[in-house]
Amino acid sequence: MTRTGRRVLIASALMVALAAGGVATYYTTDTRAKEGRKAPKGPPAVTVTVAPAVQETVPIRVTAIGNVEAFLTVAIRARVDGQIVVVNFREGQPVAKGEILFRIDPRPYEAALRQAEANALRDRAAREQARSQAKRYQELLDKNFISKEAYAQIRTNAETAEATAKASQAGLENARLSLEYCTIYSPIDGYVGKVLLQAGNMVRANDVNPLVVINQVRPIYVNFAVPEQTLPEVRKYQAQAPLRVDVVPTDPAMAPATGQLIFIDNAVDPSTGTIRLRAQFENADATLWPGQFVNVSLRLYEQPDAIVIPSRALQNGPEGEYVYVIGEDLLANVRKIRVSRSDGDRTIVSQGLKPGERVVTRGQLRLGPKTPVQIGKPEAG
């Protein structure tokens, strides 16, 4: 075969091979495309956390921010002048009624007491002498041995001695009181604050600045204000029975402190539109402290058969509030609801849910109508 014939034969073989490869590629691609059309894949299931709607009795509450106030506050001041020689407590410690707090140097008042006792003895002796003399002159007057004018003078002297003796006795009692005032006792059970005058300082009677301030914290008050719109309900239910007031602790592990409403102010504050209330707490464990700000919950009454869901399940959209409800088919359904009110981390639903229906509490951002879901593990706590 010639050289030209061989070239023609090789070219023909290459063309046949290329054509066969193209046909194979076409059929392979077409087969894969058909298989893809026959088995379309849906969206993956979204993992969510759910909680059931619960039917239970729910207390109707009014919440507010309150301020704790001591049941009694006593500012301790000295009643005599002198030098403080003893401070008998540590700052911040509890003290009992009748416990010694301060001692003022008693020596000047002990000397004044001895002088007053001596004066009282002298004046009592003078009084007895005057009484005896008046009695003798009375007998002489009865026998007409002296004139009435002379007896009147003796009688006046006796009355003067009686008054002088009473004044000396009053001075003696005052000296005893001044000596007693050198020891200062606690008038109440409570906690002492910072000592404003330490031992060694001079103190004046009834000085403007107290020596220390004592706060009684058992029991204790909590003052708070609620909107004036709630005043009719507060007065209505307070007239039926004392209303319960809870102080919600910041630590969830702690139990709330419970007290009773004892005071409703006699006027609404026109600048804020609120009414001032006061509750009293036993505060046996001293968890409430004067000056502290606390979350207060005033319980008015209890609503039976209320539908309750976690507040984090609630969503807001252009048409109002809604939740995602998960059916038996594990598809997310949008459900419009009507909320009665919120109570902390719980929401009371008045319309749109039935007891036992499962609502999504976490994972709502990836959901839409009819989105398939899978139920994840419930959250701890």
Side-chain angles (χ1 to χ4, degrees):
M1 182 180 294
T2 63
R3 183 180 296 178
T4 302
R6 286 198 299 272
R7 289 178 178 174
V8 171
L9 182 59
I10 293 171
S12 299
L14 289 173
M15 291 179 63
V16 171
L18 290 173
V23 170
T25 301
Y26 170 78
Y27 280 107
T28 301
T29 304
D30 185 62
T31 300
R32 291 177 179 175
K34 288 180 179 179
E35 290 177 354
R37 288 194 297 269
K38 288 180 181 177
K41 292 185 178 180
V46 177
T47 301
V48 297
T49 303
V50 299
V54 181
Q55 187 176 39
E56 59 184 30
T57 299
V58 178
I60 305 302
R61 305 172 184 269
V62 178
T63 58
I65 302 297
N67 180 248
V68 183
E69 179 185 342
F71 186 77
L72 285 176
T73 297
V74 178
I76 303 298
R77 292 181 171 86
R79 302 178 71 173
V80 292
D81 299 341
Q83 184 183 35
I84 299 174
V85 293
V86 173
V87 176
N88 197 43
F89 60 90
R90 296 190 310 273
E91 295 178 334
Q93 79 172 53
V95 294
K97 182 178 180 180
E99 185 175 336
I100 295 175
L101 301 179
F102 297 91
R103 290 187 187 275
I104 298 173
D105 187 0
R107 291 173 296 177
Y109 299 97
E110 290 171 348
L113 176 60
R114 289 193 294 269
Q115 182 177 3
E117 289 174 343
N119 292 338
L121 288 173
R122 179 198 60 195
D123 293 335
R124 279 199 297 270
R127 179 190 61 189
E128 295 302 321
Q129 175 65 24
R131 284 179 178 176
S132 177
Q133 189 175 19
K135 184 178 180 181
R136 290 196 302 272
Y137 271 74
Q138 177 69 49
E139 294 174 354
L140 294 175
L141 177 65
D142 292 341
K143 296 178 181 180
N144 293 322
F145 289 164
I146 60 172
S147 65
K148 292 182 178 180
E149 290 77 8
Y151 174 75
Q153 181 62 45
I154 297 300
R155 181 68 181 176
T156 300
N157 293 340
E159 292 175 352
T160 301
E162 183 74 25
T164 301
K166 289 182 177 180
S168 297
Q169 184 63 32
L172 174 60
E173 293 174 0
N174 186 59
R176 287 173 178 164
L177 277 177
S178 296
L179 181 59
E180 290 180 8
Y181 291 156
C182 290
T183 303
I184 301 176
Y185 301 90
S186 174
I188 59 173
D189 296 329
Y191 286 82
V192 291
K194 179 178 176 58
V195 179
L196 301 180
L197 277 180
Q198 296 287 351
N201 286 281
M202 296 295 297
V203 65
R204 298 185 62 84
N206 298 316
D207 201 354
V208 175
N209 296 321
L211 299 175
V212 73
V213 175
I214 305 176
N215 285 332
Q216 182 176 345
V217 300
R218 298 186 184 94
I220 204 166
Y221 294 132
V222 174
N223 301 312
F224 59 100
V226 298
E228 60 180 316
Q229 292 82 359
T230 64
L231 178 59
E233 283 189 322
V234 172
R235 295 188 61 198
K236 172 185 174 182
Y237 293 107
Q238 175 73 355
Q240 297 175 4
L243 296 182
R244 171 177 167 176
V245 180
D246 295 323
V247 167
V248 182
T250 55
D251 184 358
M254 296 178 60
T258 301
Q260 287 187 350
L261 183 68
I262 62 169
F263 170 73
I264 302 174
D265 205 353
N266 61 357
V268 173
D269 187 345
S271 61
T272 60
T274 58
I275 183 74
R276 182 179 173 88
L277 308 178
R278 169 178 282 182
Q280 181 174 319
F281 294 77
E282 289 302 320
N283 200 33
D285 53 0
T287 56
L288 300 177
W289 209 248
Q292 182 181 10
F293 285 94
V294 292
N295 296 316
V296 179
S297 175
L298 170 63
R299 179 180 295 190
L300 298 178
Y301 62 96
E302 293 187 342
Q303 175 186 349
D305 301 328
I307 304 299
V308 182
I309 62 173
S311 296
R312 59 181 177 273
L314 190 63
Q315 303 293 305
N316 288 283
E319 298 181 2
E321 296 167 316
Y322 67 94
V323 294
Y324 285 104
V325 179
I326 305 302
E328 296 297 330
D329 55 2
L330 294 182
L331 295 178
N333 297 292
V334 178
R335 182 80 59 82
K336 295 179 182 178
I337 62 172
R338 181 175 297 174
V339 174
S340 173
R341 68 189 182 281
S342 293
D343 183 14
D345 58 356
R346 307 194 305 169
T347 294
I348 292 85
V349 179
S350 60
Q351 186 176 343
L353 282 177
K354 296 179 180 179
E357 289 189 302
R358 295 179 296 177
V359 296
V360 178
T361 59
R362 187 174 296 276
Q364 297 97 323
L365 294 179
R366 300 175 59 191
L367 296 181
K370 301 301 181 181
T371 300
V373 301
Q374 61 180 358
I375 308 300
K377 293 182 179 180
E379 299 175 5

